[in-house]
Amino acid sequence: MVQEYKLLFAGGMGVGKTTAISAVSEIPPVSTDVANSDREAFDKELTTVTLDYGRITLPSGDRLRLYGIPGQKRFSFMWAMLEHGAMGMVLLADASRPEPFEELDVFLKAFHKLLRTGRAVLGVGRLPKKRGVLDKYVMKLARRKIKIPVFSVDVRRKEDVLMLLDALFTQIEVVEDDYRGGGASEEVAQSADGASVAADGKPSEGSVPSADQVSPIAGGKSSGEAVQSANETAV
């Protein structure tokens, strides 16, 4: 039977959620965009007010349903509704913003339960060329007890978005293995109610596709390579 899995793309307005979903979706993305009324803060013609939607079919026939949440805080009433039933999250940030960490903090707080399960990755765009900037994002996550891979990405590149998805499913697979083996910490187990898990707080056997199922959509890049590259920056 075909399984369907819900993934979120989150981040502030203009970080590239719509672009990222468009880069990998096999169908024309469905976007609920309106004219941006805050052009002084963000020089962007359109902004998402409800959600973006795209889809990927895995080699197994299972489907990934990709949902981009609205980035403006005034639409935050939608966030909890879209988070419900989500298996994982691709969180995006823009390092070129005047206050990039302040903006990121909004989403770290709003989705802290899901993020602290480890079922997420962070992609940072428009990084300056100087060294050490990405490490600041790792430290930011560590202060909130969030341990997820951090990547420098260009969401206009399909390969970069697929890399994020590949790393995300590797993360999810590791979390699943930890729960089944009893290795998950109590702290993470207590926060797992924000993720797509069984009623007893533990993921169900076979509830997610393996990373090997997802890797082929990333152009043959193995999940092991994704973990290795993530570990250079993740805590």
Side-chain angles (χ1 to χ4, degrees):
M1 186 176 71
V2 173
Q3 299 288 328
E4 296 187 343
Y5 306 98
K6 179 180 180 182
L7 301 178
L8 298 184
F9 283 70
M13 185 172 100
V15 297
K17 300 181 296 291
T18 304
T19 301
I21 291 174
S22 299
V24 296
S25 177
E26 66 191 29
I27 62 173
V30 177
S31 296
T32 52
D33 289 344
V34 299
N36 177 22
S37 59
D38 191 12
R39 294 296 290 271
E40 290 186 8
F42 297 98
D43 187 18
K44 183 183 178 187
E45 184 177 352
L46 299 174
T47 183
T48 300
V49 295
T50 306
L51 58 85
D52 294 315
Y53 172 75
R55 188 183 70 207
I56 296 174
T57 300
L58 300 177
S60 63
D62 293 344
R63 297 191 186 99
L64 305 181
R65 297 193 176 275
L66 315 176
Y67 293 87
I69 71 167
Q72 296 184 61
K73 198 171 182 180
R74 62 194 174 106
F75 298 117
S76 61
F77 65 91
M78 292 289 302
W79 295 355
M81 289 185 280
L82 290 170
E83 182 184 13
H84 181 70
M87 183 178 59
M89 171 183 287
V90 174
L91 182 60
L92 298 174
D94 182 347
S96 70
R97 296 286 171 82
E99 299 291 340
F101 295 108
E102 183 177 313
E103 180 180 77
L104 179 62
D105 229 13
V106 172
F107 296 92
L108 297 182
K109 290 177 182 177
F111 296 99
H112 70 280
K113 288 184 177 181
L114 177 56
L115 292 169
R116 287 178 68 178
T117 66
R119 295 165 173 263
V121 294
L122 172 61
V124 184
R126 296 173 180 160
L127 275 170
K129 293 183 179 180
K130 60 183 180 181
R131 295 175 59 85
V133 178
L134 207 59
D135 292 337
K136 294 181 180 180
Y137 285 87
V138 176
M139 290 186 286
K140 179 72 172 178
L141 297 175
R143 284 193 290 270
R144 290 195 169 275
K145 296 180 168 54
I146 297 171
K147 295 183 179 183
I148 60 175
V150 180
F151 294 90
S152 172
V153 296
D154 182 343
V155 294
R156 296 169 299 180
R157 290 172 47 86
K158 181 177 181 178
E159 295 83 359
D160 283 15
V161 182
L162 290 177
M163 175 187 66
L164 290 174
L165 292 177
D166 192 30
L168 173 59
F169 275 87
T170 298
Q171 280 290 103
I172 293 172
E173 192 172 25
V174 169
V175 172
E176 292 274 308
D177 288 344
D178 280 348
Y179 276 112
R180 287 195 286 267
S185 68
E186 181 180 356
E187 180 180 82
V188 173
Q190 287 176 342
S191 66
D193 57 346
S196 177
V197 295
D200 61 359
K202 297 181 180 180
S204 303
E205 187 76 35
S207 61
V208 299
S210 69
D212 289 339
Q213 287 180 267
V214 182
S215 292
I217 68 173
K221 179 183 173 82
S222 71
S223 57
E225 290 172 333
V227 171
Q228 185 177 4
S229 61
N231 283 342
E232 294 175 4
T233 51
V235 291

